[in-house]
Amino acid sequence: MPGRAFRYGIEHEIALVHVDDGFADYTNTSFDQLQAVVDALPEDPSDLAHLRVGDQGIKRKRWYVEGYERFDEQGALVRCDPKGLEVRTRIHDSIEAAVDALRTDLRLLDAELDGTGLRRTAVSFNPVRSEYRIEPPLNAWERAHRQDSPEERTAHLHMSTYGPDLNLSCDLLDEAAVVDVGRKLTYYSPWLVPLSFSSPFRDGGPWGGLSARTAVRTGVRPAVLVFLSGEDGQLDADPSLTQVARLPAEVGRIEFKAFDSCPDPELYGELLSLLTGLVLDETLPGRRTTPDAGLHKHVAGVGLADDEVHAGTGELIDAAERALADRPADLARLGRLRERWRRRESPAGAMLAAYRSGEPVAGLHP
């Protein structure tokens, strides 16, 4: 597939800490507090061709409050319990442009957070509270609403997790090919995700592994979603692999959802180059419609320290490198990712080292 044009976008969930009072979540932070930050950020109507607003109008900007919405018996919004913020880029014609856009919007967010007593932190699982309890229990309207899809049914799980959606689309891929790529990336997800691990804490301290997010989330929720133009080609799967596009810009999108949040947007760029190479690859045989939950749990504990996992990840980097032979910018990013792989490095390792040296990490104090 040489010469095919790709487009990219990044959706980055943001965990927050109170500067003087630990991790920020729905127990000590209100929706209105976070919405005030979003209200102060600029709104650009031209974003709307790229970004979905949603039924409640909360997502009108590139930044919005991420949380769990509660409704009354007639379906009217009553409240939104916040877990943090999200920032989304528009669709860009290069990885460099998407990464630069994310950096710019994070700087704008940091400027608005300054003086609020809140700041961003890089962690992919709530380090003090593993479970979001739905209180009060769902009413009849909410129960019906939450059965619309496997993802609605398990939406409460995302209240403990923070991660990116790395989006890419490729021209000349028909919908059957897009679904096939989604199945390929779902199969190889356990060997992709260790490069991003950044959730070594839960329930107040280290839990013994590197990605609590992966251990809890992937398998119950999808590793990949692909967006199709209509009902034709949709697969019946739990969790979902396919979804009907909600706006024209989503048609043909491949959304990789299983990486942990990355502290440096540059790592997102490297991972997008890896995904690009795997889309272009025509040699890897593995396919799955739903993620292997057991294998993800295993990898979440051992990461790249495990020789078999390390070798599997290396094989994917090799395959991507071969497929990217005529794309020098992608090869440069992949080279940096390969160095991380050689060092068996993930953000979780640096987080644990900082914690063990006595530094506070994500609002946790040793």
Side-chain angles (χ1 to χ4, degrees):
M1 288 190 282
R4 293 191 174 181
F6 282 80
R7 288 166 299 282
Y8 300 94
I10 302 171
E11 304 172 45
H12 173 64
E13 291 181 334
I14 300 162
L16 300 165
V17 295
H18 292 281
V19 174
D20 299 320
D21 194 26
F23 194 75
D25 63 15
Y26 52 89
T27 66
N28 58 14
T29 310
S30 71
F31 177 89
D32 289 342
Q33 278 179 279
L34 300 187
Q35 186 60 44
V37 175
V38 173
D39 288 343
L41 289 159
E43 181 172 343
D44 185 343
S46 60
D47 288 341
L48 299 181
H50 299 251
L51 307 174
R52 189 174 71 93
V53 172
D55 297 336
Q56 305 306 319
I58 292 172
K59 304 177 181 180
R60 291 200 58 79
K61 299 183 179 181
R62 293 191 295 276
W63 311 263
Y64 67 90
V65 181
E66 180 74 88
Y68 191 86
E69 296 167 350
R70 299 302 308 271
F71 301 88
D72 66 18
E73 292 278 5
Q74 287 71 49
L77 182 68
V78 173
R79 73 174 201 263
C80 178
D81 293 345
K83 78 168 188 180
L85 297 168
E86 180 162 322
V87 60
R88 308 167 289 172
T89 72
R90 295 183 184 189
I91 299 166
H92 293 275
D93 290 333
S94 70
I95 292 173
E96 295 91 337
V99 170
D100 287 346
L102 178 61
R103 280 202 186 97
T104 297
D105 284 345
L106 289 173
R107 284 196 294 266
L108 289 170
L109 174 60
D110 287 341
E112 293 302 334
L113 287 172
D114 190 34
T116 67
L118 292 164
R119 62 173 173 81
R120 292 190 292 121
T121 188
V123 71
S124 295
F125 195 80
N126 187 318
V128 295
R129 195 166 288 103
S130 287
E131 182 182 359
Y132 170 75
R133 296 182 180 178
I134 302 174
E135 295 177 346
L138 299 179
N139 61 40
W141 187 93
E142 290 175 311
R143 287 196 300 274
H145 171 66
R146 293 295 179 186
Q147 293 303 312
D148 284 351
S149 70
E151 287 63 59
E152 286 287 357
R153 179 169 43 77
T154 58
H156 60 287
L157 294 178
H158 90 96
M159 288 293 286
S160 300
T161 68
Y162 302 83
D165 292 340
L166 297 189
N167 303 324
L168 66 165
S169 59
C170 178
D171 65 3
L172 303 182
L173 282 185
D174 62 22
E175 292 198 332
V178 171
V179 172
D180 185 65
V181 168
R183 295 187 67 238
K184 183 204 294 192
L185 295 178
T186 296
Y187 180 91
Y188 289 106
S189 172
W191 297 277
L192 293 170
V193 293
L195 294 158
S196 71
F197 283 166
S198 64
S199 43
F201 307 110
R202 62 184 298 181
D203 298 320
W207 66 277
L210 300 173
S211 180
R213 179 180 188 268
T214 300
V216 168
R217 177 199 175 282
T218 307
V220 181
R221 291 177 69 80
V224 181
L225 276 178
V226 298
F227 291 86
L228 308 180
S229 58
E231 293 295 338
D232 290 347
Q234 297 287 330
L235 301 182
D236 184 13
D238 188 352
S240 301
L241 177 70
T242 60
Q243 192 171 104
V244 175
R246 299 157 295 185
L247 68 167
E250 285 186 337
V251 175
R253 175 178 294 178
I254 303 157
E255 188 170 273
F256 194 88
K257 305 177 74 68
F259 288 128
D260 276 11
S261 285
C262 296
D264 182 355
E266 181 59 35
L267 181 50
Y268 286 150
E270 295 167 13
L271 294 171
L272 278 168
S273 285
L274 176 59
L275 293 176
T276 300
L278 296 179
V279 171
L280 293 170
D281 162 78
E282 297 179 348
T283 66
L284 294 168
R287 302 292 189 274
R288 280 185 66 99
T289 301
T290 57
D292 186 328
L295 185 52
H296 277 89
K297 284 183 172 62
H298 168 70
V299 172
V302 299
L304 293 172
D306 181 273
D307 288 341
E308 290 187 5
V309 175
H310 186 255
T313 304
E315 290 170 6
L316 296 182
I317 294 172
D318 290 342
E321 188 173 60
R322 291 191 296 269
L324 293 169
D326 60 347
R327 299 174 67 96
D330 284 306
L331 285 174
R333 280 186 291 269
L334 198 64
R336 294 192 290 273
L337 191 66
R338 183 183 290 280
E339 289 305 311
R340 299 180 194 269
W341 168 79
R342 283 180 176 146
R343 297 191 297 265
R344 303 184 185 234
E345 175 186 295
S346 70
M351 297 167 74
L352 285 168
Y355 181 83
R356 289 165 180 158
S357 72
E359 298 177 34
V361 180
L364 278 185
H365 292 265

